[in-house]
């Protein structure tokens, strides 16, 4: 079987050649992209940090009540923020939230239109689907290598790796929602003389909204799961103390910071929970 290894397919060399070419000819693009991402993260950090933790907690609590109409959920959200402040992780939490919100904005802005496009063109989706499978199957650490090559270390490469890993969720669920619109609804829209834009906005998107919101929820959860991975390339946030605890073999620090991540995940999930409106 030595002939198999003697004629190894140079997959790694091909990837290296592609990265070298992109570095030489695409430097202007990656520099501009880094500036846009840095600007977005800085603005979100200012919004989350400038008012102070109590003010942000009150605003998010009010938002959760407006979305869910459940005072128990809102109370949990408020005390969850107080717990984070009590543990001394407010700054790290805002940094992780800035990363999560940035990735969600980018993923939804790009993923929803792609999902709509693929739903209207099934053959194109058959081409895209293996790419989405690859993006979600590759270990997230693999994305850190090109991110470091093109953007160095910091929040930007962490954001890029997060977006690549997370965006398939928004594309898939948007595609599912648009594709599952009942044919009679579309035929009724045609019978009443609806334009393609009216069909999209008033019929397809309206019917697919639960799936799109589920895509947003999945995007948020997956983005939050990447905070530790992003910390390995210098991204600030809750992943930093987790990595520090791992390096120091410090179970107290690891459990403390890990539990704060869990609280943040539960808060985000409860605030955006689909169908959560009730009078509990």
């Amino acid at each position: 079987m030595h002939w198999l290894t003697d004629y190894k397919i140079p997959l790694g060399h091909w990837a290296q050649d592609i990265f070298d070419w992109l570095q030489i000819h695409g430097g202007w693009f990656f520099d501009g992209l880094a500036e846009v991402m840095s600007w977005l993260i800085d603005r979100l950090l200012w919004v989350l940090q400038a008012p102070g933790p109590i003010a942000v907690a009150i605003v998010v609590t009010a938002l959760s009540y407006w979305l869910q109409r459940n005072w128990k959920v809102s109370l949990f959200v408020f005390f969850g923020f107080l717990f984070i402040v009590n543990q001394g992780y407010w700054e790290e939490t805002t940094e992780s939230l800035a990363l999560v919100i940035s990735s969600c904005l980018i993923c939804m802005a790009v993923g929803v239109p792609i999902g709509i496009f693929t739903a209207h063109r099934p053959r194109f989706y058959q081409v895209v689907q293996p790419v989405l499978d690859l993006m979600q199957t590759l270990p997230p650490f693999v994305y850190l290598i090109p991110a470091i090559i093109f953007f160095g270390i910091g929040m930007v490469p962490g954001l890029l790796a997060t977006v690549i890993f997370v965006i398939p969720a928004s594309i898939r669920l948007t595609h599912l929602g648009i594709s599952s619109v009942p044919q009679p609804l579309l035929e009724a829209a045609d019978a009443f003389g609806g334009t393609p834009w009216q069909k999209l906005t008033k019929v397809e998107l309206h019917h697919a909204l639960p799936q799109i919101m589920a895509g947003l929820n999945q995007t948020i959860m997956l983005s939050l799961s990447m905070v530790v991975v992003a910390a390995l390339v210098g991204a600030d946030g809750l992943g930093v103390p987790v990595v520090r605890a791992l390096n120091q073999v410090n179970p107290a620090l690891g459990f403390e910071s890990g539990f704060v991540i869990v609280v943040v995940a539960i808060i985000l999930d409860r605030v955006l929970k689909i169908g959560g409106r009730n009078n509990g």
Side-chain angles (χ1 to χ4, degrees), residues 101-128:
I101 295 172
S102 299
S103 65
C104 288
L105 290 175
I106 296 173
C107 289
M108 297 306 289
V110 176
V112 171
I114 294 177
I116 294 172
F117 184 83
T118 56
H120 290 157
R121 292 162 178 81
R123 290 185 178 178
F124 180 72
Y125 183 70
Q126 292 177 356
V127 177
V128 173

Side-chain angles (χ1 to χ4, degrees), residues 40 44 92-109 136 140 143-144 155 157-170 214-233 235-240 261-262 264-266 268-269 272:
L40 179 60
L44 287 171
E92 290 86 353
T93 299
T94 57
E95 291 165 347
S96 290
L97 285 175
L99 184 65
V100 170
I101 295 172
S102 299
S103 65
C104 288
L105 290 175
I106 296 173
C107 289
M108 297 306 289
Q136 288 191 304
Y143 300 131
L144 300 181
M155 293 287 279
L159 175 58
L160 178 66
T162 301
V163 168
I164 296 174
F165 179 70
V166 171
I167 198 170
S170 60
L216 174 61
N217 188 277
Q218 284 294 305
T219 299
I220 292 173
M221 293 300 107
L222 290 171
S223 298
L224 193 58
S225 71
M226 287 287 289
V227 296
V228 176
V229 177
L232 297 176
V233 291
D236 298 324
L238 291 170
V240 174
I261 294 176
V262 171
V264 173
I266 295 175
L268 293 175
D269 180 68
L272 296 171

Side-chain angles (χ1 to χ4, degrees), residues 21 36 89 140 170 207 217 253 262:
W21 186 89
V36 172
Y89 285 91
S170 60
H207 186 273
N217 188 277
L253 178 61
V262 171

Side-chain angles (χ1 to χ4, degrees), residues 80-99:
F81 276 112
L82 292 185
F83 172 78
I84 293 169
V85 176
N86 171 263
Q87 294 297 300
Y89 285 91
W90 177 250
E91 183 176 351
E92 290 86 353
T93 299
T94 57
E95 291 165 347
S96 290
L97 285 175
L99 184 65

Side-chain angles (χ1 to χ4, degrees), residues 127-256:
V127 177
V128 173
Q129 192 171 12
V131 179
L132 299 179
D133 293 337
L134 178 66
M135 293 170 67
Q136 288 191 304
T137 304
L138 276 177
F141 295 96
V142 175
Y143 300 131
L144 300 181
I145 301 172
I148 293 174
I149 291 174
F150 297 131
F151 301 103
I153 60 174
M155 293 287 279
V156 171
L159 175 58
L160 178 66
T162 301
V163 168
I164 296 174
F165 179 70
V166 171
I167 198 170
S170 60
I171 296 175
R172 289 183 188 276
L173 285 166
T174 300
H175 173 270
L176 175 64
I178 299 296
S179 300
S180 63
V181 176
Q183 192 63 30
L185 283 179
L186 300 175
E187 292 174 355
D190 290 331
F192 282 100
T195 64
W197 177 253
Q198 290 174 326
K199 285 174 58 178
L200 174 63
T201 56
K202 296 184 178 181
V203 178
E204 293 179 327
L205 287 178
H206 180 75
H207 186 273
L209 186 59
Q211 284 81 9
I212 295 174
M213 290 302 296
L216 174 61
N217 188 277
Q218 284 294 305
T219 299
I220 292 173
M221 293 300 107
L222 290 171
S223 298
L224 193 58
S225 71
M226 287 287 289
V227 296
V228 176
V229 177
L232 297 176
V233 291
D236 298 324
L238 291 170
V240 174
V242 174
V243 174
R244 188 183 304 124
L246 179 63
N247 293 332
Q248 299 173 356
V249 194
N250 187 336
L253 178 61
F255 181 83
E256 183 180 88

